[in-house]
Amino acid sequence: MKRETSRLVRLCMHHKTLLQRHPHPGSWLQSSRSFSSLREGKRRGLVWKTLVGLSVGVPVAVGVQYTMSDPRERRKMRIVIEGFGRFFRSLSVGLVISLDYWWTTNVALRGLDENSPLYLAGMSACHQRAAECMMDGAIRNGGIYIKLGQGLCSFNHLLPPEYIRTLKVLEDKALNRRYREVDALFQEDFNKSPQQLYKEFDYEPIAAASLAQVHKAKLFDGTPVAVKVQYIDLRDRFDGDIRTMEILLDIIKFMHPSFGFRWVLKDLKGTLAQELDFENEARNSERCAEELKHFTFVVVPKVFWEQTSKRVLTAEFCNGCKINNVEEIRRQGLSLKDTADKLIRAFAEQIFYTGFIHADPHPGNVLVRRGPDNKAELVLLDHGLYEYLSQRDRAALCKLWRSIVLRDEAAMEKYSNALGVKEYFLFCEMLLQRPINMQELGLSNILSREETTYMREMAVNRFNSIMQVLKSMPRPMLLVFRNINTVRSINISLGAPVDRYFVMAKSAVRCWGKIQAERTGILHRFWLVRWFRTSWESLKFEVALRSEMAIMSLTRSLLSLLSYFGLVSLDAEVYEYLR
């Protein structure tokens, strides 16, 4: 009995020892959970400390680097940070405008007749809000955004008038930078202050636009000059702004697949970059002056190279008013017709003959003043953006414009094809920025309400075809279109006192004659040969145009007479032709 009791005691002691070595599974699980909670708490604490460290450490590190950097490096760091702001500002402007139009058309004006006064007033207010939002965003962003806004001003036949009135401020009053930036730029480019380069220098700009602001100054010999000073951060932020525009266009294309304009920006990127080089602009202005010197009414300000750099352009100061300032032109006693005629002839000479084309002739870049002959004299400014059109394309364009005015449909198709475009009729309407009636030779410079509606509907309903035409034609034609459309817009603002289409057609024919005379080789050196060739081509055009007009007039009279006596019955289409 004692043995069994002793054996049981030993067995219990053994079990106790085992239990002490291996605790109960439940207690092990509990301790394991406690350990996991402790470990997770430590991990959370580590993550929190890391986030706090980054939120404090990164700004401190950036601040230290910013403090220790030179002014140029500081400027680049600011540009990177501000670049995000410009991107989100542009995105927000687009969203706000889109939502405003959606709310106005689908909620606020829902159910109203589109021709009712209440609907028109509501849409006008929406257009005004959108234009002001766009203008504010462009001014705050600056640079390329202002240039895009300037480009929109020339589409006064497609955009609502609220946009045109509001965005006009971007033509010559956009940004005004601090005096310190001007001094810093002169130190970087010349290692001198403005006071060391000029006898007088007015820090208050007389004009401020997309790329630079203009200051009035005097050279040490007393010559008054205009000093164009580029915004100091513009060259550094150019690539970033272009990239931002590309991203925004990608977003728009994702939302609206047919709206693909990224290729336009890609093609124009190099040309826009050249505009930032003021030495290149100076060379362009001298070439323009040389090629248009036979037009005594054209003035290109003289460049002073010693005070010119990549970002500073010093040129002769020229007085004058903007070419769309009708009141001031009349106050000077100048003729609006003479002014418009000279403007059209000058730029037609570049498009059809020289091929070296001013691509940004908005009203702020063309001044009008009284010349020595007491007639209008044009001062051409801002020669940074130019395009070159090859002689082959110029020849085709000359013949195309002539064929449009003469309503020669076969020639319209032929020379459109020579420029790479298959949809010739659409291309011709885009070129003239107006509908073309093949049964009527006359082309009114001011569109009627029906013609304006037609052009706007064409822009919407034939958008894909328009995009295909733009992609098909020679790339330089994009900026040629800009020139033609801007000149059209200025002519309209002057009241369309001259027949722009006919004046350009005469220039096209004359320039084609000059091109042909030069192709004859050594003979083109004799002015008499050139004069005879151009006069002959002009005479043929005049005779062809007058004869076509006479034939059409005679045909109308004959049909009307036959209809009056009941000898023929005329359908609606013929009545429209006679009207």
Side-chain angles (χ1 to χ4, degrees):
M1 184 71 177
K2 289 181 178 180
R3 278 183 198 172
E4 291 180 4
T5 302
S6 177
R7 191 165 55 86
L8 287 173
V9 171
R10 286 196 303 271
L11 184 61
C12 288
M13 293 296 292
H14 178 67
H15 287 166
K16 181 182 178 182
T17 303
L18 291 175
L19 286 172
Q20 288 176 345
R21 293 179 181 175
H22 305 285
H24 191 273
S27 64
W28 177 85
L29 182 62
Q30 185 175 0
S31 62
S32 176
R33 286 176 177 171
S34 299
F35 179 75
S36 297
S37 299
L38 182 62
R39 186 170 57 185
E40 187 159 339
K42 289 182 178 180
R43 186 184 298 119
R44 287 177 181 172
L46 182 62
V47 171
W48 175 251
K49 290 178 181 178
T50 303
L51 291 176
V52 172
L54 288 173
S55 62
V56 175
V58 171
V60 170
V62 172
V64 171
Q65 184 179 359
Y66 181 83
T67 304
M68 297 178 64
S69 300
D70 59 46
R72 286 192 179 186
E73 289 300 322
R74 291 182 188 179
R75 187 168 68 241
K76 289 180 180 179
M77 294 172 69
R78 288 198 304 268
I79 288 170
V80 172
I81 297 172
E82 292 169 357
F84 288 102
R86 289 192 295 273
F87 171 77
F88 288 110
R89 186 181 298 121
S90 303
L91 190 61
S92 65
V93 166
L95 291 175
V96 167
I97 292 176
S98 298
L99 289 174
D100 192 3
Y101 273 108
W102 181 87
W103 178 266
T104 301
T105 55
N106 293 282
V107 179
L109 303 179
R110 185 177 182 181
L112 294 179
D113 181 21
E114 293 186 3
N115 295 317
S116 66
L118 188 60
Y119 183 90
L120 295 175
M123 286 306 300
S124 177
C126 184
H127 293 325
Q128 186 63 41
R129 290 193 300 271
E132 290 175 356
C133 186
M134 189 178 296
M135 180 193 69
D136 180 65
I139 290 177
R140 293 177 66 188
N141 282 347
I144 191 174
Y145 299 90
I146 292 178
K147 186 154 289 293
L148 293 175
Q150 291 173 346
L152 291 176
C153 292
S154 61
F155 290 93
N156 53 6
H157 60 311
L158 295 177
L159 291 176
E162 293 82 2
Y163 281 87
I164 307 303
R165 289 195 302 265
T166 304
L167 296 177
K168 275 186 177 180
V169 72
L170 301 177
E171 290 177 352
D172 58 0
K173 296 179 182 177
L175 299 176
N176 190 344
R177 297 298 183 92
R178 297 182 295 273
Y179 296 171
R180 287 182 303 172
E181 289 192 9
V182 175
D183 285 337
L185 188 142
F186 271 86
Q187 286 293 336
E188 290 180 9
D189 280 24
F190 298 102
N191 200 26
K192 294 180 180 179
S193 67
Q195 289 74 21
Q196 293 174 292
L197 289 171
Y198 308 97
K199 181 180 180 180
E200 296 178 12
F201 185 87
D202 187 356
Y203 279 95
E204 190 65 30
I206 58 176
S210 58
L211 305 181
Q213 56 192 28
V214 181
H215 301 261
K216 193 171 182 180
K218 280 187 179 180
L219 299 179
F220 287 106
D221 63 0
T223 303
V225 292
V227 185
K228 184 176 179 180
V229 182
Q230 190 175 118
Y231 301 129
I232 194 168
D233 59 350
L234 197 61
R235 296 172 72 90
D236 294 328
R237 58 177 277 192
F238 178 77
D239 290 335
D241 283 350
I242 289 291
R243 181 58 184 157
T244 296
M245 296 298 301
E246 289 175 342
I247 293 173
L248 292 173
L249 289 173
D250 285 339
I251 294 173
I252 294 173
K253 186 177 181 181
F254 175 77
M255 298 172 63
H256 307 282
S258 62
F259 195 88
F261 275 103
R262 196 178 195 274
W263 63 273
V264 177
L265 189 62
K266 180 181 177 182
D267 286 341
L268 297 181
K269 188 189 303 184
T271 306
L272 292 173
Q274 292 179 11
E275 197 174 5
L276 302 180
D277 183 353
F278 285 179
E279 290 179 348
N280 180 68
E281 178 176 345
R283 289 189 292 270
N284 288 346
S285 68
E286 290 183 339
R287 178 174 174 179
C288 173
E290 176 64 24
E291 292 180 344
L292 297 182
K293 65 182 180 181
H294 56 286
F295 286 145
T296 57
F297 55 82
V298 172
V299 175
V300 179
K302 176 186 175 183
V303 175
F304 295 93
W305 282 97
E306 289 186 6
Q307 292 83 15
T308 295
S309 69
K310 293 285 186 183
R311 295 184 293 176
V312 176
L313 175 62
T314 302
E316 172 190 4
F317 183 85
C318 296
N319 284 306
C321 67
K322 290 171 61 175
I323 194 168
N324 61 350
N325 190 340
V326 175
E327 293 77 11
E328 180 60 24
I329 293 174
R330 285 175 172 162
R331 192 192 67 79
Q332 295 184 56
L334 301 176
S335 165
L336 296 178
K337 181 177 181 180
D338 180 54
T339 301
D341 179 73
K342 288 175 176 176
L343 173 78
I344 295 167
R345 286 164 54 201
F347 288 118
E349 183 80 4
Q350 289 186 330
I351 292 171
F352 296 122
Y353 181 60
T354 70
F356 191 60
I357 303 162
H358 195 311
D360 195 20
H362 67 75
N365 289 338
V366 184
L367 304 182
V368 181
R369 67 185 187 183
R370 180 182 291 275
D373 59 353
N374 292 323
K375 294 183 179 180
E377 189 174 69
L378 306 183
V379 181
L380 304 187
L381 307 175
D382 195 351
H383 300 269
L385 190 61
Y386 266 72
E387 188 60 272
Y388 181 75
L389 196 62
S390 69
Q391 189 183 81
R392 174 181 173 276
D393 291 337
R394 294 199 307 274
L397 192 59
C398 287
K399 296 176 183 178
L400 177 62
W401 200 281
R402 177 183 183 276
S403 63
I404 294 172
V405 172
L406 292 176
R407 298 299 190 276
D408 186 346
E409 189 166 1
M412 288 165 60
E413 181 176 10
K414 176 181 177 181
Y415 297 118
S416 294
N417 290 341
L419 290 168
V421 180
K422 300 299 181 185
E423 292 197 52
Y424 68 94
F425 200 81
L426 175 62
F427 178 55
C428 293
E429 290 188 326
M430 290 169 60
L431 187 64
L432 268 62
Q433 286 294 298
R434 63 156 295 115
I436 297 175
N437 182 356
M438 295 301 292
Q439 297 175 338
E440 178 64 52
L441 277 180
L443 287 169
S444 173
N445 286 274
I446 299 179
L447 301 186
S448 65
R449 180 178 299 178
E450 293 77 12
E451 289 171 331
T452 301
T453 301
Y454 171 85
M455 292 301 293
R456 290 178 177 171
E457 289 178 351
M458 182 183 79
V460 174
N461 299 329
R462 303 195 64 187
F463 184 80
N464 291 334
S465 298
I466 291 172
M467 291 294 291
Q468 187 56 46
V469 168
L470 293 176
K471 291 179 180 179
S472 300
M473 66 187 188
R475 286 293 177 264
M477 283 293 296
L478 287 172
L479 290 179
V480 173
F481 265 56
R482 176 184 170 93
N483 177 293
I484 292 173
N485 192 49
T486 306
V487 172
R488 177 203 60 78
S489 175
I490 294 173
N491 187 46
I492 296 297
S493 68
L494 294 175
V498 298
D499 186 345
R500 181 177 69 93
Y501 307 105
F502 183 65
V503 172
M504 288 192 69
K506 289 177 67 175
S507 295
V509 171
R510 185 177 64 254
C511 292
W512 166 242
K514 290 163 70 174
I515 292 173
Q516 286 294 96
E518 290 176 359
R519 284 179 177 177
T520 59
I522 195 171
L523 290 177
H524 82 274
R525 298 178 184 177
F526 299 100
W527 69 269
L528 185 61
V529 175
R530 293 200 306 272
W531 175 85
F532 178 79
R533 187 63 183 256
T534 54
S535 299
W536 174 245
E537 292 292 338
S538 298
L539 178 62
K540 287 196 300 182
F541 172 72
E542 292 277 0
V543 170
L545 181 63
R546 302 303 176 190
S547 62
E548 286 290 336
M549 293 178 67
I551 291 172
M552 293 183 75
S553 178
L554 182 62
T555 303
R556 287 195 190 92
S557 301
L558 180 60
L559 288 174
S560 298
L561 185 64
L562 293 176
S563 175
Y564 177 79
F565 287 108
L567 299 177
V568 295
S569 59
L570 306 178
D571 56 21
E573 184 176 351
V574 177
Y575 271 117
E576 177 64 21
Y577 169 75
L578 293 176
R579 187 181 69 82

